[in-house]
Amino acid sequence: MAYSVGILGCGVMGQSFLSAVQKCRVLGTAEEKQKLPTKFYTTNHNEESARNVKCVLQENIKKISKEEQLLNSLGFDEYECYTGKDNLKLIEKSDVVLFSIKPYQMEEVFNQIKQANISLDDKVFISLVAGWTIDSMRELLNNKKMVITRLMTNTPAKFGEGAVVVSHTGDEELLSKWKGRLNFMIEQLGIMVELPESKMDAATALVGSGPAFVLNFLEAMVDAGLKMGIPYKESYMLALKTVEGTAKMGQLTNYTHPSVLKHQVCTPGGTTIAGLVEMDNRGVKAGVINGITEAARVASELGKKK
Ligand SMILES: NC(=O)C1=CN([C@@H]2O[C@H](COP(=O)(O)OP(=O)(O)OC[C@H]3O[C@@H](n4cnc5c(N)ncnc54)[C@H](OP(=O)(O)O)[C@@H]3O)[C@@H](O)[C@H]2O)C=CC1
Ligand SMILES: O=C(O)[C@@H]1CCC=N1
């Protein structure tokens, strides 16, 4: 069944979502493409950003296909970019609506939707918005039946390299109709796990904010290389490959506990244990744990600030 997707708030994350889905639309098999939307609508706050979304996506396609193809030659039946004033038009035209506006913009937009009296039972709402619970969305919409999915991912999702946490809710019959297609579309963002919605604030901290934490560590590694006289580019390349290689090693050893892999690097009386002890003295590990749990605490507060 052909279906349409509207991205309400097509900024950093909305564009990441579109880029990942678009990549499969361009490169996927015929069977895969059948599970993806054929029509896309997007809204942005202002006219210039709305126009820019189309340019960004056209550029993406050129990069993926390495050919001068046009959006409409790639199996997109329809593609339109609106401004925030047309959010209701986007919702009316879309079977699935992805909300990727900021948390403080949600209440106004949801009130607009409620006042417009659009029939919602056959629509699917997906929210990427940190802190907003499914219950709070259902309450504002006064709808108990429709499928509402919460999604948390991160900026690497743009390249299909995201970590994704998803929770689906809604009427059982509607869910069974949609779940397969929604999961296939969402899997284009990266590795996906389904968890209860109660874990979404934790996911927001670990996954959503995660790239910034990893980049903070990476920046420190690059700076350390520079301090020891390694030129910037070489320092960045080496630090990046060390992070990437270590991440892959975790996967390739079937998720062997990090402490076991860490032990393999430590020569008695050697460099690594000296470095680790110094980092422990400076509270690096406790700082990371406290930083991530503090991010989760803030996530739990975001939906309450109305
Ligand atoms: N950034 C991240 O790493 C992650 C963010 N999130 C969540 O994703 C959501 C979006 O974040 P992010 O993409 O970073 O934010 P951005 O500011 O990049 O995107 C928000 C978009 O919403 C548009 N917008 C604003 N008001 C309206 C309106 N009334 N109607 C329609 N569109 C509107 C803006 O338009 P314009 O371009 O014209 O300003 C903008 O493009 C947030 O809720 C955040 O919690 C989740 C995971 C990771
Ligand atoms: O910083 C934030 O609030 C958002 C949510 C996760 C990543 N960015």
Side-chain angles (χ1 to χ4, degrees), residues 2-233:
Y3 68 102
S4 52
V5 167
I7 315 263
L8 198 151
C10 202
V12 171
M13 292 313 294
Q15 287 179 33
S16 296
F17 184 92
L18 255 185
S19 300
V21 174
Q22 212 185 14
K23 189 172 173 190
C24 187
R25 211 41 269 128
V26 175
L27 301 178
T29 61
E31 198 188 334
E32 286 171 334
K33 284 180 192 174
Q34 268 197 346
K35 295 188 221 161
L36 292 173
T38 51
K39 300 179 185 183
F40 286 103
Y41 309 100
T42 61
T43 47
N44 282 73
H45 183 246
N46 61 60
E47 198 78 52
E48 201 187 334
S49 327
R51 272 198 306 270
N52 193 38
V53 167
K54 199 158 189 168
C55 299
V56 167
L57 294 171
Q58 185 64 60
E59 281 305 306
N60 279 344
I61 287 186
K62 278 189 204 159
K63 274 187 223 149
I64 299 165
S65 64
K66 296 197 169 50
E67 285 167 34
E68 291 281 318
Q69 286 174 297
L70 294 169
L71 283 165
N72 58 12
S73 67
L74 291 162
F76 297 98
D77 298 343
E78 207 175 315
Y79 196 99
E80 288 176 51
C81 302
Y82 309 128
T83 65
K85 290 190 277 296
D86 291 326
N87 282 334
L88 298 178
K89 184 154 97 182
L90 172 136
I91 291 167
E92 270 168 7
K93 286 191 146 207
S94 308
D95 299 304
V96 178
V97 181
L98 175 81
F99 290 85
S100 48
I101 44 178
K102 295 289 189 193
Y104 57 83
Q105 293 160 336
M106 283 287 274
E107 192 174 21
E108 191 188 330
V109 169
F110 268 57
N111 280 333
Q112 246 183 17
I113 298 169
K114 196 179 165 197
Q115 277 160 24
N117 263 330
I118 303 170
S119 162
L120 294 176
D121 280 355
D122 289 329
K123 305 265 178 204
V124 173
F125 279 6
I126 306 177
S127 169
L128 252 170
V129 179
W132 271 76
T133 63
I134 291 175
D135 274 353
S136 59
M137 290 183 258
R138 285 198 188 282
E139 198 184 314
L140 275 179
L141 297 171
N142 193 21
N143 188 301
K144 292 195 169 77
K145 192 177 171 199
M146 68 186 295
V147 174
I148 302 189
T149 292
R150 253 185 98 184
L151 181 68
M152 188 41 63
T153 186
N154 52 27
T155 45
K158 179 173 184 180
F159 310 98
E161 295 290 342
V164 189
V165 179
V166 72
S167 310
H168 300 287
T169 64
D171 172 80
E172 245 173 65
E173 202 180 320
L174 288 172
L175 257 182
S176 67
K177 178 178 151 199
W178 276 105
K179 202 170 163 181
R181 268 175 298 171
L182 291 179
N183 280 349
F184 182 75
M185 180 168 67
I186 292 166
E187 275 166 5
Q188 303 314 312
L189 303 173
I191 194 166
M192 185 190 88
V193 292
E194 238 180 293
L195 287 178
E197 202 211 351
S198 59
K199 300 288 174 265
M200 238 359 131
D201 293 333
T204 303
L206 191 66
V207 165
S209 303
F213 303 145
V214 173
L215 288 162
N216 215 19
F217 189 77
L218 184 66
E219 187 185 0
M221 286 180 84
V222 176
D223 282 354
L226 272 175
K227 190 175 178 202
M228 296 182 294
I230 301 178
Y232 165 73
K233 192 166 173 211

Side-chain angles (χ1 to χ4, degrees), residues 262-273:
K262 204 165 72 174
H263 182 66
Q264 291 170 2
V265 193
C266 292
T267 305
T271 62
T272 315
I273 191 66

